[in-house]
Amino acid sequence: MLRNILKDKIYDYLKETGLVKDLGLSDKYRVKFLAQGEYNINYTIEDGISKYVFRVNTGSQIDVESQIRYEYNGIKRLEVSGVTPKAYFVDDSKDYLEYGLLIMEFLEGKPLNYSTDLNRAANIFSKIHSIDLKDTDFNIFIEEKEVLRDRIKEGKKLLKDFLASPIVSCELKNFFYKFLQWAEDNKANERYFKENKWQVINNTEVNSHNFIIGQEKSYLIDWEKPVISDPCQDITQFLADTTTLWKTDYILSKDEKENFFRNYEREVKSNYKDIRERVNIYTPYLYLRALAWCAYAWLEYRNPEKDIKNQDTLNKIENYLQLDFMKRLLSDWF
């Protein structure tokens, strides 16, 4: 298994590069598997006193020259928020290991609980979305200027092979053809975001397990593909059923969402207080991204050369691609 092979190589890498000394680790440090996503494998390196996250990047969802350096640069910029991890080291040379490598702060805590931690999440988002953007930020982050059209382009790209595949049912293909057409027919709603432009740094992957809820402080982690865009990106995704059901079996009530909106608007630094309207317009396009990615990933899981395979993820993907689930999800729009 790849994660076991990499574990042994990480020991040698840390010694040969001198990082053991640079990080203040003793010679008795240990490397332990922590967690893995679809495109990253994470380990802890610790000696009983100091502890870090060692992140190995195995793939990318965005078109950048160096995925791991993009993530590193984003994390360094976000440190000012006080609610994101600190990054200490990046190596995208692939000289020793064939993957990009990142070392960052290990944060103590537990995943977000939707029933108890919504106020903490609103506080985290408000701090990140209150960062004053500088001209240099547009050199660090990808900028999305048209959130609806970008989702359509992304959806078409993710669905290209799925819609052409002979192993996909006609019913599923027809659903996505109709969904894409609906998105095209309603893309004029983009004018709302252009007439009321509000740009922030978005994480774009805000499921419950990308939050670290601590006793004193809480954080948002996993900055693999942040973008500069409208805040509706993160807020919509955080509240969406496809997100709350991903790692848990939770669906937020209207009252819970309203309470979240009030807390977020109270704390975020912005002239705009219309997050509900933004979320309402963007939601079906967020679902286009989420469901199209599931379709794309479903095909990827049939590739025997895929580096990382999670059975739980595959099970969730197949649940989301059930026609009844997708139709219920989008019943308010089409």
Side-chain angles (χ1 to χ4, degrees):
M1 188 179 292
L2 179 60
R3 76 188 198 193
N4 294 330
I5 295 172
L6 288 173
K7 180 180 176 181
D8 295 333
K9 290 186 176 183
I10 290 170
Y11 274 107
D12 296 334
Y13 175 82
L14 290 169
K15 289 179 180 179
E16 292 188 17
T17 57
L19 281 169
V20 173
K21 182 178 179 181
D22 292 343
L23 294 170
L25 293 166
S26 71
D27 291 336
K28 296 181 179 180
Y29 72 91
R30 299 181 302 277
V31 179
K32 294 182 178 180
F33 171 74
L34 177 62
Q36 72 180 36
E38 291 303 297
Y39 305 95
N40 294 280
I41 306 177
N42 300 293
Y43 304 83
T44 57
I45 49 177
E46 58 180 305
D47 62 3
I49 299 175
S50 299
K51 190 172 184 179
Y52 303 90
V53 174
F54 191 105
R55 185 168 174 86
V56 180
N57 171 242
T58 62
S60 177
Q61 301 178 67
I62 54 177
D63 185 20
V64 293
E65 183 176 348
S66 171
Q67 168 63 59
I68 203 70
R69 189 165 293 277
Y70 183 83
E71 182 172 356
Y72 173 83
N73 290 339
I75 293 173
K76 294 300 292 184
R77 174 64 178 100
L78 288 157
E79 287 178 5
V80 67
S81 71
V83 292
T84 59
K86 296 178 181 178
Y88 300 112
F89 176 81
V90 64
D91 181 359
D92 59 355
S93 68
K94 302 182 182 179
D95 290 338
Y96 187 82
L97 296 174
E98 59 182 291
Y99 303 107
L101 311 172
L102 171 66
I103 298 176
M104 56 186 167
E105 180 181 17
F106 178 85
L107 299 168
E108 295 284 355
K110 60 183 181 179
L112 178 139
N113 183 321
Y114 290 107
S115 65
T116 59
D117 299 326
L118 284 181
N119 287 348
R120 295 189 183 192
N123 176 263
I124 290 170
F125 282 122
S126 69
K127 282 183 166 56
I128 294 169
H129 292 175
S130 293
I131 294 174
D132 290 326
L133 296 183
K134 303 176 182 178
D135 290 342
T136 53
D137 291 328
F138 294 86
N139 298 323
I140 296 173
F141 300 99
I142 293 169
E143 180 187 7
E144 291 194 343
K145 297 179 180 180
E146 297 181 311
V147 291
L148 304 190
R149 287 174 172 82
D150 284 337
R151 294 294 76 76
I152 295 171
K153 292 176 184 176
E154 189 176 26
K156 289 180 177 179
K157 182 178 180 180
L158 288 168
L159 288 166
K160 181 180 178 181
D161 292 339
F162 185 84
L163 293 174
S165 173
I167 65 173
V168 177
S169 72
C170 291
E171 290 82 4
L172 275 176
K173 290 181 181 180
N174 288 335
F175 173 86
F176 279 109
Y177 280 128
K178 291 177 181 178
F179 193 2
L180 286 170
Q181 188 58 57
W182 179 92
E184 288 278 7
D185 291 343
N186 289 273
K187 65 185 179 184
N189 287 328
E190 190 83 64
R191 65 178 178 269
Y192 182 89
F193 300 104
K194 292 184 176 181
E195 293 170 358
N196 303 277
K197 190 174 182 179
W198 179 9
Q199 288 186 306
V200 303
I201 301 170
N202 286 266
N203 174 281
T204 74
E205 294 189 303
V206 289
N207 68 67
S208 60
H209 279 58
N210 284 347
F211 288 84
I212 300 292
I213 305 300
Q215 291 186 346
E216 296 182 2
K217 290 195 67 176
S218 299
Y219 306 86
L220 179 57
I221 63 170
D222 198 350
W223 290 89
E224 182 180 347
K225 50 175 190 170
V227 299
I228 292 175
S229 184
D230 192 279
C232 70
Q233 274 222 52
D234 271 356
I235 302 304
T236 305
Q237 184 169 356
F238 177 72
L239 300 173
D241 291 1
T242 47
T243 304
T244 62
L245 290 169
W246 187 253
K247 296 289 186 180
T248 65
D249 290 318
Y250 202 91
I251 295 179
L252 294 166
S253 68
K254 290 183 179 180
D255 288 342
E256 286 175 314
K257 290 180 181 180
E258 179 57 31
N259 186 53
F260 174 89
F261 287 138
R262 285 198 300 266
N263 284 311
Y264 172 79
E265 287 186 331
R266 185 178 64 248
E267 297 183 32
V268 72
K269 295 178 182 177
S270 171
N271 293 327
Y272 294 105
K273 300 297 179 182
D274 57 350
I275 194 62
R276 295 167 188 77
E277 182 66 16
R278 293 172 186 270
V279 166
N280 184 59
I281 295 171
Y282 184 67
T283 295
Y285 291 85
L286 179 279
Y287 284 143
L288 176 59
R289 164 194 262 173
L291 297 175
W293 180 86
C294 286
Y296 167 82
W298 184 81
L299 275 186
E300 266 205 328
Y301 265 76
R302 275 139 189 82
N303 181 355
E305 296 182 0
K306 179 175 169 58
D307 285 331
I308 298 176
K309 292 187 178 182
N310 297 314
Q311 187 59 45
D312 288 345
T313 297
L314 178 58
N315 292 341
K316 188 66 71 172
I317 286 169
E318 291 180 336
N319 288 338
Y320 281 14
L321 291 176
Q322 295 296 313
L323 282 172
D324 288 345
F325 176 82
M326 294 192 291
K327 289 177 179 178
R328 180 194 64 78
L329 205 62
L330 294 158
S331 60
D332 288 341
W333 293 278
F334 81 98

